[in-house]
Amino acid sequence: MTNIAFIGLGNMGLPMAKNLLAADHSLRGFDLAEEARASLEGAGGQAFSTIAEAVADADVVVSMLPSGAIVKAVYEGDDGVFKNAKAGALMIDSSTIDVTTARDVAQEAKAHGFDMVDAPVSGGVGGAAAGTLAFMVGGTAAAFAKASPVLEPMGAKIVHCGASGNGQAAKICNNMVLAISMIGVSEAFNLGRSLGLDDQTFYDVAANASAQCWSLTSYCPVPGPVPASPANNDYQPGFATALMHKDLGLAMEAVASSGANTPMGHLAAEIYATMNDEGHGGVDFSGVIKHLAGTL
Ligand code: NAD
Protein backbone atom coordinates (compact mmCIF):
# COMPACT_ATOMS: atom_id res chain seq x y z
CA MET A 1 0.00 0.00 0.00
CA THR A 2 1.30 3.44 -0.96
CA ASN A 3 0.11 6.78 0.42
CA ILE A 4 -1.00 8.67 -2.67
CA ALA A 5 -2.21 12.28 -2.92
CA PHE A 6 -4.39 12.97 -5.97
CA ILE A 7 -4.89 16.56 -7.13
CA GLY A 8 -7.60 17.32 -9.70
CA LEU A 9 -10.59 15.03 -9.25
CA GLY A 10 -12.59 15.86 -12.38
CA ASN A 11 -13.94 13.71 -15.21
CA MET A 12 -10.61 11.89 -15.53
CA GLY A 13 -9.04 12.29 -12.07
CA LEU A 14 -11.89 10.87 -10.01
CA PRO A 15 -12.18 7.52 -11.85
CA MET A 16 -8.37 7.24 -11.88
CA ALA A 17 -8.31 7.84 -8.12
CA LYS A 18 -11.03 5.19 -7.68
CA ASN A 19 -8.82 2.63 -9.44
CA LEU A 20 -5.94 3.45 -7.08
CA LEU A 21 -8.31 2.94 -4.13
CA ALA A 22 -9.46 -0.38 -5.63
CA ALA A 23 -5.79 -1.43 -5.75
CA ASP A 24 -5.65 -0.93 -1.96
CA HIS A 25 -3.62 2.26 -1.97
CA SER A 26 -4.40 4.89 0.64
CA LEU A 27 -5.73 7.93 -1.16
CA ARG A 28 -5.87 11.58 -0.11
CA GLY A 29 -7.24 14.15 -2.52
CA PHE A 30 -7.52 17.85 -3.26
CA ASP A 31 -9.68 19.67 -5.79
CA LEU A 32 -10.89 23.28 -5.83
CA ALA A 33 -14.45 22.02 -6.36
CA GLU A 34 -16.29 20.95 -3.22
CA GLU A 35 -18.39 18.52 -5.27
CA ALA A 36 -15.25 16.72 -6.48
CA ARG A 37 -13.95 16.44 -2.91
CA ALA A 38 -17.30 15.00 -1.79
CA SER A 39 -17.19 12.44 -4.63
CA LEU A 40 -13.77 11.26 -3.46
CA GLU A 41 -15.03 10.87 0.12
CA GLY A 42 -18.01 8.92 -1.27
CA ALA A 43 -15.60 6.59 -3.04
CA GLY A 44 -13.65 5.86 0.15
CA GLY A 45 -10.81 8.40 -0.14
CA GLN A 46 -9.96 11.27 2.20
CA ALA A 47 -10.48 14.79 0.82
CA PHE A 48 -8.76 17.95 2.03
CA SER A 49 -9.32 21.63 1.32
CA THR A 50 -5.62 22.53 0.93
CA ILE A 51 -2.80 21.04 -1.10
CA ALA A 52 -0.57 21.07 2.00
CA GLU A 53 -2.90 18.77 3.96
CA ALA A 54 -3.43 16.45 0.99
CA VAL A 55 0.27 15.94 0.24
CA ALA A 56 1.59 15.95 3.84
CA ASP A 57 2.15 12.19 4.26
CA ALA A 58 2.10 11.21 0.61
CA ASP A 59 4.80 9.01 -0.94
CA VAL A 60 3.42 9.83 -4.39
CA VAL A 61 1.56 12.88 -5.73
CA VAL A 62 -0.55 12.39 -8.86
CA SER A 63 -2.20 15.34 -10.65
CA MET A 64 -4.84 15.52 -13.40
CA LEU A 65 -5.43 19.22 -14.11
CA PRO A 66 -6.76 21.32 -16.99
CA SER A 67 -3.74 23.38 -18.12
CA GLY A 68 -0.01 24.06 -17.87
CA ALA A 69 -0.56 27.32 -15.94
CA ILE A 70 -2.62 25.44 -13.33
CA VAL A 71 -0.07 22.62 -13.09
CA LYS A 72 2.70 25.20 -12.52
CA ALA A 73 0.67 26.98 -9.82
CA VAL A 74 -0.29 23.73 -8.07
CA TYR A 75 3.31 22.47 -7.91
CA GLU A 76 5.31 25.69 -7.62
CA GLY A 77 2.94 27.99 -5.70
CA ASP A 78 3.63 29.11 -2.12
CA ASP A 79 0.91 26.76 -0.88
CA GLY A 80 1.81 24.20 -3.52
CA VAL A 81 3.16 20.67 -3.71
CA PHE A 82 6.91 21.37 -3.73
CA LYS A 83 6.78 23.46 -0.54
CA ASN A 84 4.62 20.93 1.32
CA ALA A 85 5.40 17.39 0.14
CA LYS A 86 7.63 15.14 2.23
CA ALA A 87 11.21 14.53 1.17
CA GLY A 88 11.61 11.80 -1.42
CA ALA A 89 7.99 11.90 -2.65
CA LEU A 90 7.48 11.03 -6.33
CA MET A 91 5.48 13.45 -8.52
CA ILE A 92 3.39 12.22 -11.47
CA ASP A 93 1.58 14.81 -13.60
CA SER A 94 -0.93 13.14 -15.92
CA SER A 95 -2.49 16.36 -17.22
CA THR A 96 -2.15 17.14 -20.93
CA ILE A 97 -0.02 20.30 -21.01
CA ASP A 98 2.62 21.98 -23.18
CA VAL A 99 6.05 20.38 -23.38
CA THR A 100 7.87 23.52 -22.18
CA THR A 101 5.88 23.81 -18.95
CA ALA A 102 6.21 20.06 -18.31
CA ARG A 103 10.00 20.39 -18.61
CA ASP A 104 10.12 23.56 -16.46
CA VAL A 105 8.07 22.00 -13.64
CA ALA A 106 10.16 18.80 -13.74
CA GLN A 107 13.31 20.93 -13.51
CA GLU A 108 11.84 22.78 -10.52
CA ALA A 109 10.95 19.41 -8.92
CA LYS A 110 14.57 18.33 -9.29
CA ALA A 111 15.74 21.60 -7.69
CA HIS A 112 13.50 20.74 -4.70
CA GLY A 113 14.93 17.20 -4.56
CA PHE A 114 11.91 15.38 -6.01
CA ASP A 115 11.67 12.89 -8.89
CA MET A 116 8.93 13.84 -11.34
CA VAL A 117 7.45 12.35 -14.49
CA ASP A 118 4.99 13.72 -17.02
CA ALA A 119 2.51 10.93 -17.76
CA PRO A 120 -0.30 12.17 -20.02
CA VAL A 121 -2.89 9.64 -21.10
CA SER A 122 -5.02 8.55 -23.99
CA GLY A 123 -8.18 6.53 -23.55
CA GLY A 124 -10.58 9.19 -22.29
CA VAL A 125 -13.15 8.97 -19.52
CA GLY A 126 -14.07 5.38 -20.50
CA GLY A 127 -10.44 4.27 -20.21
CA ALA A 128 -10.06 6.13 -16.90
CA ALA A 129 -13.08 4.29 -15.46
CA ALA A 130 -12.00 0.90 -16.81
CA GLY A 131 -8.36 1.31 -15.75
CA THR A 132 -7.22 0.84 -19.35
CA LEU A 133 -5.55 4.19 -20.08
CA ALA A 134 -2.37 4.39 -22.14
CA PHE A 135 0.31 6.37 -20.26
CA MET A 136 3.09 8.13 -22.16
CA VAL A 137 5.81 8.83 -19.61
CA GLY A 138 8.67 11.34 -19.67
CA GLY A 139 11.41 11.35 -17.03
CA THR A 140 14.52 9.47 -15.91
CA ALA A 141 14.60 5.66 -16.05
CA ALA A 142 14.69 5.60 -12.23
CA ALA A 143 11.60 7.85 -11.93
CA PHE A 144 9.81 5.73 -14.57
CA ALA A 145 10.58 2.56 -12.58
CA LYS A 146 9.11 4.15 -9.43
CA ALA A 147 6.05 5.50 -11.27
CA SER A 148 5.12 2.30 -13.14
CA PRO A 149 3.56 0.37 -10.21
CA VAL A 150 1.47 3.43 -9.33
CA LEU A 151 0.24 3.79 -12.90
CA GLU A 152 -0.52 0.09 -13.37
CA PRO A 153 -3.98 0.02 -11.68
CA MET A 154 -5.03 2.92 -13.93
CA GLY A 155 -3.59 1.77 -17.24
CA ALA A 156 -3.33 -1.01 -19.77
CA LYS A 157 -0.21 0.35 -21.45
CA ILE A 158 2.67 2.33 -19.92
CA VAL A 159 5.42 3.51 -22.26
CA HIS A 160 8.64 5.28 -21.27
CA CYS A 161 9.08 7.93 -23.98
CA GLY A 162 12.40 9.38 -22.77
CA ALA A 163 13.38 12.46 -20.78
CA SER A 164 11.02 14.93 -19.07
CA GLY A 165 8.44 16.38 -21.45
CA ASN A 166 8.69 13.47 -23.88
CA GLY A 167 5.41 11.99 -22.58
CA GLN A 168 3.68 15.23 -23.58
CA ALA A 169 5.59 15.24 -26.88
CA ALA A 170 4.36 11.70 -27.71
CA LYS A 171 0.78 12.62 -26.79
CA ILE A 172 0.59 15.74 -28.99
CA CYS A 173 2.35 14.04 -31.92
CA ASN A 174 -0.11 11.12 -31.70
CA ASN A 175 -3.11 13.42 -31.56
CA MET A 176 -1.85 15.55 -34.45
CA VAL A 177 -1.76 12.38 -36.61
CA LEU A 178 -5.21 11.44 -35.32
CA ALA A 179 -6.67 14.82 -36.31
CA ILE A 180 -5.08 14.69 -39.76
CA SER A 181 -6.18 11.08 -40.38
CA MET A 182 -9.76 11.74 -39.21
CA ILE A 183 -10.00 14.71 -41.57
CA GLY A 184 -8.53 12.60 -44.41
CA VAL A 185 -10.97 9.73 -43.86
CA SER A 186 -13.87 12.19 -43.59
CA GLU A 187 -12.92 13.96 -46.82
CA ALA A 188 -12.78 10.58 -48.60
CA PHE A 189 -16.27 9.57 -47.41
CA ASN A 190 -17.64 12.99 -48.41
CA LEU A 191 -16.02 12.78 -51.86
CA GLY A 192 -17.20 9.17 -52.32
CA ARG A 193 -20.77 10.15 -51.43
CA SER A 194 -20.70 13.03 -53.90
CA LEU A 195 -19.61 10.53 -56.58
CA GLY A 196 -22.39 8.05 -55.72
CA LEU A 197 -20.16 5.64 -53.77
CA ASP A 198 -21.94 3.81 -50.94
CA ASP A 199 -20.37 4.32 -47.45
CA GLN A 200 -20.21 0.59 -46.61
CA THR A 201 -18.75 -0.27 -50.01
CA PHE A 202 -16.01 2.34 -49.67
CA TYR A 203 -15.36 1.14 -46.10
CA ASP A 204 -15.01 -2.49 -47.25
CA VAL A 205 -12.47 -1.45 -49.87
CA ALA A 206 -10.46 1.06 -47.80
CA ALA A 207 -10.42 -1.04 -44.62
CA ASN A 208 -8.59 -3.73 -46.55
CA ALA A 209 -6.43 -1.41 -48.62
CA SER A 210 -3.78 1.23 -48.08
CA ALA A 211 -6.19 3.77 -46.51
CA GLN A 212 -6.62 1.50 -43.49
CA CYS A 213 -6.09 3.40 -40.23
CA TRP A 214 -7.59 3.74 -36.73
CA SER A 215 -9.81 6.69 -37.77
CA LEU A 216 -11.38 4.42 -40.39
CA THR A 217 -11.61 1.00 -38.79
CA SER A 218 -11.99 1.77 -35.06
CA TYR A 219 -13.65 5.17 -35.08
CA CYS A 220 -15.35 5.37 -38.47
CA PRO A 221 -16.89 8.86 -38.98
CA VAL A 222 -19.98 7.53 -40.83
CA PRO A 223 -22.68 5.48 -39.11
CA GLY A 224 -22.87 1.79 -40.00
CA PRO A 225 -19.51 0.14 -40.67
CA VAL A 226 -18.15 0.30 -37.07
CA PRO A 227 -21.16 -0.02 -34.72
CA ALA A 228 -19.33 1.32 -31.63
CA SER A 229 -18.10 4.54 -33.26
CA PRO A 230 -19.67 7.84 -32.07
CA ALA A 231 -21.08 8.42 -35.59
CA ASN A 232 -23.73 5.84 -34.61
CA ASN A 233 -24.66 7.93 -31.57
CA ASP A 234 -25.15 11.32 -33.22
CA TYR A 235 -21.46 12.14 -32.67
CA GLN A 236 -21.67 12.22 -28.90
CA PRO A 237 -18.19 11.84 -27.37
CA GLY A 238 -16.13 9.92 -27.39
CA PHE A 239 -13.40 12.47 -27.69
CA ALA A 240 -14.85 15.97 -27.78
CA THR A 241 -13.82 18.50 -30.43
CA ALA A 242 -12.92 20.92 -27.57
CA LEU A 243 -10.28 18.46 -26.31
CA MET A 244 -8.90 17.83 -29.80
CA HIS A 245 -8.75 21.62 -30.27
CA LYS A 246 -6.84 21.93 -26.99
CA ASP A 247 -4.33 19.21 -27.95
CA LEU A 248 -3.76 20.70 -31.42
CA GLY A 249 -3.14 24.09 -29.76
CA LEU A 250 -0.42 22.44 -27.64
CA ALA A 251 0.98 20.78 -30.78
CA MET A 252 1.11 24.11 -32.62
CA GLU A 253 2.88 25.74 -29.62
CA ALA A 254 5.48 22.98 -29.86
CA VAL A 255 5.73 23.48 -33.63
CA ALA A 256 6.35 27.21 -33.10
CA SER A 257 9.05 26.65 -30.50
CA SER A 258 10.76 23.76 -32.33
CA GLY A 259 10.55 25.07 -35.90
CA ALA A 260 9.21 21.70 -37.20
CA ASN A 261 7.47 21.88 -40.57
CA THR A 262 3.88 20.62 -40.16
CA PRO A 263 1.61 22.07 -42.87
CA MET A 264 -1.04 19.35 -42.45
CA GLY A 265 -0.96 19.77 -38.68
CA HIS A 266 -1.54 23.53 -39.09
CA LEU A 267 -4.52 22.96 -41.36
CA ALA A 268 -6.00 20.34 -39.02
CA ALA A 269 -5.58 22.76 -36.09
CA GLU A 270 -7.38 25.49 -38.07
CA ILE A 271 -10.24 23.17 -39.05
CA TYR A 272 -10.83 22.02 -35.45
CA ALA A 273 -10.48 25.62 -34.17
CA THR A 274 -13.23 26.72 -36.56
CA MET A 275 -15.46 23.80 -35.59
CA ASN A 276 -14.91 24.62 -31.91
CA ASP A 277 -15.46 28.39 -32.41
CA GLU A 278 -18.72 27.68 -34.23
CA GLY A 279 -20.08 26.15 -31.01
CA HIS A 280 -19.44 22.47 -31.70
CA GLY A 281 -16.85 21.84 -28.97
CA GLY A 282 -19.10 19.19 -27.40
CA VAL A 283 -19.43 17.19 -30.63
CA ASP A 284 -17.16 14.16 -31.01
CA PHE A 285 -14.11 15.03 -33.13
CA SER A 286 -15.26 12.58 -35.83
CA GLY A 287 -18.17 15.01 -36.40
CA VAL A 288 -15.61 16.92 -38.51
CA ILE A 289 -17.13 14.93 -41.41
CA LYS A 290 -20.34 16.98 -41.03
CA HIS A 291 -18.40 20.21 -40.45
CA LEU A 292 -16.55 19.62 -43.75
CA ALA A 293 -19.76 18.79 -45.57
CA GLY A 294 -21.39 21.95 -44.19
CA THR A 295 -24.14 19.94 -42.46
CA LEU A 296 -23.21 20.39 -38.77
P1 NAD B 1 -12.07 18.34 -15.68
O1 NAD B 1 -12.31 19.78 -15.95
O2 NAD B 1 -13.23 17.41 -15.63
O3 NAD B 1 -11.25 18.18 -14.31
C1 NAD B 1 -10.25 19.05 -13.88
C2 NAD B 1 -10.37 19.16 -12.37
O4 NAD B 1 -9.31 19.98 -11.89
C3 NAD B 1 -11.68 19.83 -11.90
O5 NAD B 1 -12.32 19.01 -10.95
C4 NAD B 1 -11.21 21.15 -11.32
O6 NAD B 1 -12.02 21.60 -10.23
C5 NAD B 1 -9.82 20.79 -10.87
N1 NAD B 1 -8.95 21.96 -10.70
C6 NAD B 1 -8.80 23.03 -11.51
N2 NAD B 1 -7.88 23.88 -10.99
C7 NAD B 1 -7.44 23.31 -9.86
C8 NAD B 1 -6.47 23.69 -8.90
N3 NAD B 1 -5.79 24.84 -9.00
N4 NAD B 1 -6.27 22.87 -7.84
C9 NAD B 1 -6.97 21.70 -7.71
N5 NAD B 1 -7.89 21.29 -8.59
C10 NAD B 1 -8.12 22.09 -9.66
O7 NAD B 1 -11.02 17.87 -16.80
P2 NAD B 1 -10.69 16.36 -17.25
O8 NAD B 1 -11.54 15.97 -18.41
O9 NAD B 1 -10.64 15.51 -16.03
O10 NAD B 1 -9.20 16.57 -17.83
C11 NAD B 1 -8.06 16.66 -16.99
C12 NAD B 1 -6.82 16.56 -17.86
O11 NAD B 1 -6.85 15.33 -18.57
C13 NAD B 1 -6.71 17.66 -18.91
O12 NAD B 1 -5.37 18.07 -19.00
C14 NAD B 1 -7.18 16.99 -20.17
O13 NAD B 1 -6.64 17.58 -21.36
C15 NAD B 1 -6.66 15.58 -19.96
N6 NAD B 1 -7.37 14.54 -20.72
C16 NAD B 1 -8.73 14.50 -20.72
C17 NAD B 1 -9.37 13.49 -21.45
C18 NAD B 1 -10.89 13.40 -21.47
O14 NAD B 1 -11.43 12.61 -22.27
N7 NAD B 1 -11.62 14.14 -20.61
C19 NAD B 1 -8.63 12.54 -22.17
C20 NAD B 1 -7.24 12.59 -22.11
C21 NAD B 1 -6.61 13.61 -21.39
Side-chain angles (χ1 to χ4, degrees):
M1 187 184 84
T2 306
N3 285 328
I4 299 173
F6 207 112
I7 302 176
L9 300 158
N11 291 326
M12 295 291 290
L14 183 66
M16 290 165 74
K18 283 182 180 172
N19 282 324
L20 291 172
L21 278 165
D24 285 336
H25 291 303
S26 142
L27 206 120
R28 306 157 66 90
F30 170 72
D31 192 294
L32 288 180
E34 199 181 322
E35 199 187 327
R37 297 199 298 270
S39 299
L40 179 68
E41 294 267 347
Q46 257 187 301
F48 296 89
S49 50
T50 65
I51 292 175
E53 289 170 289
V55 304
D57 291 325
D59 305 307
V60 180
V61 178
V62 183
S63 52
M64 195 55 171
L65 295 159
S67 70
I70 292 174
V71 168
K72 205 170 171 58
V74 160
Y75 280 93
E76 297 182 9
D78 281 341
D79 303 320
V81 176
F82 294 151
K83 293 237 166 86
N84 292 287
K86 73 177 186 188
L90 170 71
M91 317 287 165
I92 302 176
D93 179 41
S94 280
S95 325
T96 302
I97 66 169
D98 61 285
V99 175
T100 304
T101 300
R103 289 184 174 152
D104 285 353
V105 176
Q107 189 61 37
E108 202 56 33
K110 197 176 167 193
H112 283 82
F114 298 114
D115 273 336
M116 180 164 193
V117 296
D118 50 295
V121 302
S122 72
V125 176
T132 56
L133 292 169
F135 285 92
M136 294 150 272
V137 185
T140 63
F144 176 73
K146 281 206 269 178
S148 291
V150 180
L151 300 178
E152 262 156 28
M154 302 185 281
K157 196 162 190 190
I158 304 166
V159 180
H160 187 204
C161 301
S164 291
N166 280 19
Q168 301 293 351
K171 160 105 188 173
I172 58 173
C173 289
N174 179 74
N175 280 10
M176 188 175 79
V177 176
L178 176 61
I180 294 168
S181 70
M182 182 55 77
I183 291 168
V185 168
S186 296
E187 287 186 358
F189 273 111
N190 283 340
L191 175 62
R193 284 173 173 182
S194 71
L195 298 173
L197 184 59
D198 172 64
D199 285 347
Q200 184 68 51
T201 305
F202 172 60
Y203 177 88
D204 291 341
V205 172
N208 294 293
S210 45
Q212 193 282 329
C213 63
W214 189 89
S215 293
L216 179 70
T217 54
S218 292
Y219 217 82
C220 191
V222 298
V226 178
S229 77
N232 299 280
N233 190 30
D234 202 20
Y235 299 94
Q236 286 312 296
F239 184 43
T241 290
L243 286 171
M244 177 55 92
H245 171 55
K246 173 191 167 178
D247 291 357
L248 288 170
L250 296 174
M252 291 307 104
E253 272 183 51
V255 164
S257 64
S258 67
N261 184 28
T262 60
M264 300 296 285
H266 265 291
L267 196 49
E270 271 176 29
I271 288 169
Y272 277 106
T274 305
M275 193 173 156
N276 190 64
D277 292 349
E278 287 177 355
H280 303 303
V283 173
D284 184 79
F285 85 109
S286 62
V288 73
I289 190 167
K290 293 180 82 173
H291 170 74
L292 293 166
T295 57
L296 191 62

